[in-house]
Amino acid sequence: MRLPKTRTRRFFSVSQKSTARPRAFAFLCCLALACLAPATASAQTFRGTILGTVTDPRGAVVPNANVTAKNTGTGLERTTTTDGEGNYTIAELPIGTYSVIVKATGFETFTVGNVVVEVASERRADVSLAVVGTTDQFTVFANTQVETTTNTLGGTIETKEVESLPVNGRDFTKFLVLVPGSTGDPSGATDSPGSFGLFSSNGNRGRSNNYLLDGTDMNDGYRNLPAINEAGVFGTPATILPVESIAEAAVLSNFEAEFGRNSGAIVNIVTKSGTNDFHGSLFEFFRNDALDARNFFNPEPDPKTAFRNNQFGGSVGGPIRKNKTFFFAAYEGQRERVGLNSTARVPDPREIAALGGPTNPVIAKLLARNPWPAPNRPLPLFDSTGTPNLFVTTRASNDVDSLIAKVDHSFNQNNQLTGRYFYGNSDQSFPLAILAGNVLPGYNTVTPTTVHLVSVSYLKIFSPTRVNEARFGFNRFDEGFFPEDGGFDPSSIGLNTGVSSQDFGLPFIRIRNDPIGSIASIGSTLSVPRARVDTNWQFIDNYSWKLTGHDLKFGYEFRRTTVGAFFDAGYRGRLDFNTLADFLAGNLSGGRQAKGQSHRDTFQNSHAAYVQDSFRVRRNLTLNAGLRYDYFGVIGEKNNLLSNFDPARGLVLVGSQGLPRLYN
């Protein structure tokens, strides 16, 4: 029967599971042993693959058929030929929509349109060619695609979902619980104080996940959380990956050997690239207390809680040189101003006068700084009922600027280069009452954060069956937590705490047993100041090799992580007084102060190597096998300041390396 010139159909295939043939397994093991060396991490692809089988009208395979995959957005073309069993594989394709064109001598040209390549996925496009003269051309559209060649679990969040789903704060981490096997905490997948990660995958620990941006490391080396969108204070993201820049986000589990480093999920985010058409966007979202009802715990006549949040930005992408060079850039900013209302019991100036005023000169100078706001609720002097005499609003703020830029360039069909840079900067200021601080104005925790991420990928196509990708990644996460009054030198009022400028600020001062009740403490939380700079350097090389019936891939990765940090908890000191009268006289009832050198410069060098094989046993049977070796380097310290705990002697300085190296 003669078929129409153009037809549309849906197609999919199902992959069976089987044990390996002995010759395939032996070949894989030999190749693995040849590649491995005492060598953390992963060589995760941020591209995808199109593969399939070409047959004639009788179902017989067609070897040496010419297969071309063409990106409909950028014009990028990749060409290969089918092997002796009629199979073809085109690996390391940038994500996007492709047309697959098949040509063979004696057969009509066949085109499969709308083949969507997703991050770290394989898309099958099988083709049955028609003999010359039976029709002019076949065109089919792959409207339904089922991944039938891998056993990777998880899911992919596509561009439409990213752009359309409303998430609080436009925070991409809220999407991570939308794929099968992922669960978040009740607060909505935020790494808030007391939690243990953003989300859990298939029961793994929340900080056992590996985060990638365009295939390169995006992990904060200290907490193993994504450096972008990691929380500053109280789970509020310190920087933001612009949602406008996200092409896809895959959450993968039960992955193949090329993915490693962590026991949990691989979060593989790919940013958008420019195309031959210019596209852009502008946006602003705002939330304002003028549009909100009062909080139940903020009744009149107290002032209404202030809340103003603006998120704004835009994106633009297009060609620099059509079919050759493309760019994409996106910016997102956030400005937030919040008032946090609370009540407290503070000393009334009349109560201080009735007690004779300050008799200690240091306390007199301290009171001259007005450390407590004046009470604004009527209350009898020395009232001991525990009723607060102050309603106070402490201002909090969050200013964020995030920018990402990406360039893709094809020197020719065989040499392609991709470069991407992210810069994020923020300044947050929040009170930390639940962490032994207080809610009075002037004692907030200030958190400046700066994040840099660089990624460069070079793809070299040696032949239709051999492809190599070299990838370089760098990320730097710089964040500190400081007292709001960190510019105040306590020795200026005669309070000689013996600290350097790094630990300036008022000591934490509390009055604990006064008959009038609990008096609000002054000074910032004792957990500040602290800061760290985490840096990751990463190099990856992956080699894909198509043989008859086998898709081999092997690679190596080196990763160096350094963390420079200090944690001066308690260095500003704590002063305790029993009563307000004792405070005015300077009579301490207790206190404490920590001392010592808390700065450490740690480092870790890690290596990984892997080999894997997708063995096409038959058209409906694929066997995936692989072997991987990860060496996690022992943590060292630049200045030989590591210690181990000996039950008999306590802390013992051991130098630059606290543990022996273990290679197995």
Side-chain angles (χ1 to χ4, degrees):
M1 182 178 71
R2 192 176 183 85
L3 295 173
K5 293 183 179 180
T6 303
R7 66 179 182 178
T8 301
R9 72 181 184 191
R10 296 183 176 184
F11 73 94
F12 63 91
S13 59
V14 177
S15 176
Q16 298 175 340
K17 305 295 181 184
S18 174
T19 57
R21 292 182 177 180
R23 65 182 179 88
F25 183 76
F27 175 80
L28 175 64
C29 290
C30 291
L31 185 58
L33 292 174
C35 291
L36 294 181
T40 250
S42 47
Q44 297 89 342
T45 182
F46 65 104
R47 298 182 176 93
T49 298
I50 296 177
L51 54 86
T53 304
V54 179
T55 58
D56 65 15
R58 298 173 301 170
V61 299
V62 179
N64 299 316
N66 184 278
V67 183
T68 299
K70 182 176 181 178
N71 189 303
T72 58
T74 65
L76 172 71
E77 292 187 2
R78 289 272 303 279
T79 300
T80 189
T81 57
T82 56
D83 61 20
E85 297 180 1
N87 297 319
Y88 73 91
T89 300
I90 306 177
E92 297 295 342
L93 288 170
I95 65 172
T97 302
Y98 288 80
S99 293
V100 178
I101 302 129
V102 181
K103 297 179 181 179
T105 303
F107 297 94
E108 299 287 357
T109 299
F110 195 106
T111 301
V112 182
N114 196 40
V115 180
V116 179
V117 174
E118 297 176 340
V119 54
S121 69
E122 293 184 347
R123 286 291 174 254
R124 191 169 190 95
D126 293 328
V127 171
S128 179
L129 296 177
V131 178
V132 168
T134 59
T135 184
D136 291 339
Q137 183 177 358
F138 271 108
T139 300
V140 302
F141 295 95
N143 295 323
T144 300
Q145 301 175 54
V146 177
E147 189 168 309
T148 63
T149 58
T150 73
N151 57 356
T152 300
L153 304 179
T156 299
I157 302 161
E158 299 178 358
T159 303
K160 185 177 180 180
E161 296 170 304
V162 171
E163 293 175 345
S164 302
L165 290 174
V167 292
N168 187 21
R170 291 172 56 83
D171 180 359
F172 82 85
T173 63
K174 303 297 189 294
F175 292 116
L176 303 181
V177 296
L178 299 181
V179 301
S182 297
T183 57
D185 64 44
S187 62
T190 176
D191 189 46
S192 55
S195 72
F196 296 94
L198 295 175
F199 75 104
S200 171
S201 175
N202 298 320
N204 284 276
R205 296 183 65 179
R207 290 188 181 170
S208 293
N209 303 311
N210 189 27
Y211 297 89
L212 305 172
L213 185 66
D214 294 325
T216 55
D217 186 274
M218 193 180 65
N219 298 285
D220 165 14
Y222 183 81
R223 302 182 73 191
N224 202 52
L225 294 172
I228 306 177
N229 288 60
E230 184 172 342
V233 185
F234 277 148
T236 304
T239 58
I240 296 175
L241 178 62
V243 171
E244 303 289 304
S245 71
I246 300 175
E248 290 181 1
V251 181
L252 310 175
S253 59
N254 194 45
F255 33 79
E256 297 188 29
E258 66 172 305
F259 296 90
R261 182 176 182 269
N262 289 73
S263 61
I266 302 294
V267 180
N268 202 349
I269 300 171
V270 180
T271 57
K272 291 179 180 177
S273 296
T275 65
N276 280 323
D277 298 317
F278 284 98
H279 294 279
S281 63
L282 289 172
F283 66 88
E284 179 170 8
F285 300 92
F286 76 94
R287 297 159 62 191
N288 196 298
D289 59 82
L291 306 176
D292 298 341
R294 276 180 173 266
N295 187 293
F296 178 80
F297 299 102
N298 179 216
E300 294 181 336
D302 292 333
K304 187 177 181 180
T305 302
F307 182 83
R308 293 175 178 82
N309 183 293
N310 293 75
Q311 282 185 272
F312 50 89
S315 66
V316 63
I320 298 175
R321 183 181 175 187
K322 196 169 184 179
N323 292 332
K324 295 283 288 185
T325 309
F326 307 91
F327 79 96
F328 183 87
Y331 164 80
E332 185 158 338
Q334 182 174 12
R335 301 293 183 269
E336 186 173 55
R337 298 293 181 269
V338 180
L340 300 177
N341 298 334
S342 61
T343 58
R345 178 64 163 95
V346 296
D348 191 306
R350 294 173 298 169
E351 293 172 335
I352 292 176
L355 291 171
T359 56
N360 183 284
V362 174
I363 300 299
K365 292 178 181 179
L366 175 58
L367 289 177
R369 295 177 51 83
N370 298 315
W372 286 286
N376 54 18
R377 286 185 170 180
L379 196 67
L381 296 183
F382 300 104
D383 179 89
S384 59
T385 62
T387 305
N389 62 352
L390 173 70
F391 175 89
V392 63
T393 297
T394 301
R395 300 293 178 182
S397 63
N398 181 28
D399 294 342
V400 181
D401 293 288
S402 300
L403 173 70
I404 190 167
K406 187 176 183 181
V407 174
D408 299 273
H409 176 68
S410 295
F411 298 98
N412 49 51
Q413 282 194 2
N414 297 325
N415 295 274
Q416 296 157 21
L417 182 68
T418 296
R420 186 259 305 139
Y421 172 65
F422 171 88
Y423 170 78
N425 183 74
S426 73
D427 188 18
Q428 298 179 329
S429 177
F430 287 91
L432 282 173
I434 66 170
L435 296 180
N438 64 67
V439 294
L440 299 182
Y443 308 113
N444 280 4
T445 294
V446 179
T447 307
T449 305
T450 303
V451 178
H452 300 271
L453 275 88
V454 177
S455 175
V456 178
S457 171
Y458 175 64
L459 191 69
K460 173 66 177 179
I461 302 167
F462 293 102
S463 73
T465 59
R466 294 182 294 126
V467 178
N468 189 80
E469 185 211 17
R471 199 182 310 156
F472 166 80
F474 166 83
N475 79 59
R476 182 182 179 91
F477 181 85
D478 185 346
E479 185 174 76
F481 296 80
F482 304 98
E484 185 178 357
D485 64 346
F488 168 64
D489 182 357
S491 66
S492 64
I493 62 171
L495 187 56
N496 297 314
T497 57
V499 298
S500 65
S501 59
Q502 178 173 285
D503 298 313
F504 277 179
L506 192 67
F508 187 66
I509 299 174
R510 56 185 186 178
I511 302 171
R512 309 183 67 187
N513 302 308
D514 196 277
I516 66 174
S518 178
I519 296 176
S521 302
I522 55 177
S524 294
T525 173
L526 284 174
S527 66
V528 297
R530 65 185 190 272
R532 70 180 192 274
V533 179
D534 311 334
T535 304
N536 282 316
W537 299 87
Q538 185 183 34
F539 174 76
I540 304 170
D541 193 82
N542 300 317
Y543 192 87
S544 300
W545 191 4
K546 174 74 174 72
L547 300 174
T548 300
H550 296 270
D551 288 347
L552 296 173
K553 189 172 185 179
F554 47 90
Y556 165 77
E557 176 178 358
F558 170 76
R559 179 193 301 257
R560 178 176 173 84
T561 300
T562 64
V563 179
F566 74 90
F567 195 167
D568 289 357
Y571 282 41
R572 292 188 349 268
R574 189 191 74 219
L575 305 178
D576 294 338
F577 299 90
N578 276 329
T579 65
L580 180 59
D582 286 337
F583 170 77
L584 296 174
N587 296 326
L588 285 167
S589 63
R592 70 175 180 87
Q593 183 179 25
K595 293 184 178 181
Q597 170 56 272
S598 72
H599 192 97
R600 296 293 184 272
D601 286 294
T602 58
F603 59 88
Q604 181 184 34
N605 297 323
S606 303
H607 306 263
Y610 75 93
V611 60
Q612 65 187 42
D613 180 20
S614 292
F615 178 31
R616 319 294 176 189
V617 183
R618 294 194 299 270
R619 269 182 279 172
N620 63 343
L621 176 61
T622 300
L623 174 65
N624 298 312
L627 186 66
R628 181 181 183 86
Y629 177 80
D630 281 309
Y631 169 68
F632 297 85
V634 175
I635 294 178
E637 209 283 327
K638 178 181 176 181
N639 300 306
N640 301 322
L641 294 176
L642 289 181
S643 299
N644 282 343
F645 180 76
D646 185 318
R649 296 183 294 164
L651 282 178
V652 179
L653 197 66
V654 295
S656 63
Q657 183 180 312
L659 297 170
R661 291 184 173 88
L662 301 174
Y663 296 103
N664 56 351

